[in-house]
């Protein structure tokens, strides 16, 4: 403790409580397992997941609306099956035309 008394520092810096508090703040901010950098990364991950949650809630709502629409009439269900899954009736031929790849 005599070493600290020989250095010209303000009185509050020489106080053992101030030194302990400063060491505690440094420990919590930089050295602890849950330091500030970890907290920042964790918070950004939480924000990203919340954005994904909003996106998927919107997608679920849209899918449910489409489902209600398809189940409401057989004509819409048939149109959906023909367009999406290329289904056809027994007496029909199905031709799928795709554009040539660009070079």
């Amino acid at each position: 403790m005599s070493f600290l008394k020989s250095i010209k520092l303000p009185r509050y810096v020489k106080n053992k409580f101030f030194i302990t508090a400063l060491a505690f703040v440094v420990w919590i901010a930089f050295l602890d397992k849950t330091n500030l950098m970890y907290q920042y990364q964790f918070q950004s991950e939480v924000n990203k997941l919340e954005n994904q949650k909003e996106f998927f809630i919107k997608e679920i709502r849209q899918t449910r609306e489409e489902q209600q629409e398809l189940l409401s009439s057989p004509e819409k269900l048939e149109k959906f099956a023909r367009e999406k899954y290329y289904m056809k009736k027994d007496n029909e031929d199905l031709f799928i035309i795709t554009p040539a790849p660009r070079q």
Side-chain angles (χ1 to χ4, degrees):
M1 215 53 173
S2 64
F3 172 71
L4 287 177
K5 290 181 181 179
S6 65
I7 299 175
K8 298 233 179 203
L9 294 173
R11 280 181 69 167
Y12 66 88
V13 175
K14 293 180 184 179
N15 188 337
K16 63 183 175 185
F17 296 111
F18 177 78
I19 294 171
T20 305
L22 183 64
F24 177 74
V25 168
V26 167
W27 179 268
I28 293 297
F30 302 107
L31 304 174
D32 194 34
K33 182 177 121 182
T34 57
N35 59 25
L36 293 177
M37 185 59 112
Y38 174 79
Q39 292 296 328
Y40 174 76
Q41 291 172 348
F42 182 70
Q43 188 59 41
S44 56
E45 181 74 19
V46 167
N47 292 340
K48 185 177 92 173
L49 291 174
E50 286 177 352
N51 290 337
Q52 285 182 352
K53 177 183 173 184
E54 291 173 11
F55 170 76
F56 286 121
I57 287 174
K58 192 183 303 180
E59 287 293 315
I60 289 170
R61 188 177 306 121
Q62 181 181 355
T63 304
R64 285 187 179 152
E65 289 173 3
E66 290 175 359
Q67 180 185 18
Q68 277 304 109
E69 185 178 321
L70 288 175
L71 296 177
S72 66
S73 71
E75 294 85 22
K76 290 181 182 179
L77 184 61
E78 182 180 345
K79 180 183 176 190
F80 177 78
R82 288 171 173 265
E83 291 175 355
K84 185 86 171 176
Y85 297 107
Y86 306 117
M87 293 185 170
K88 64 182 186 81
K89 294 182 180 178
D90 289 335
N91 59 355
E92 291 181 332
D93 291 328
L94 182 64
F95 296 99
I96 301 172
I97 302 172
T98 58
R102 289 186 168 187
Q103 293 182 357

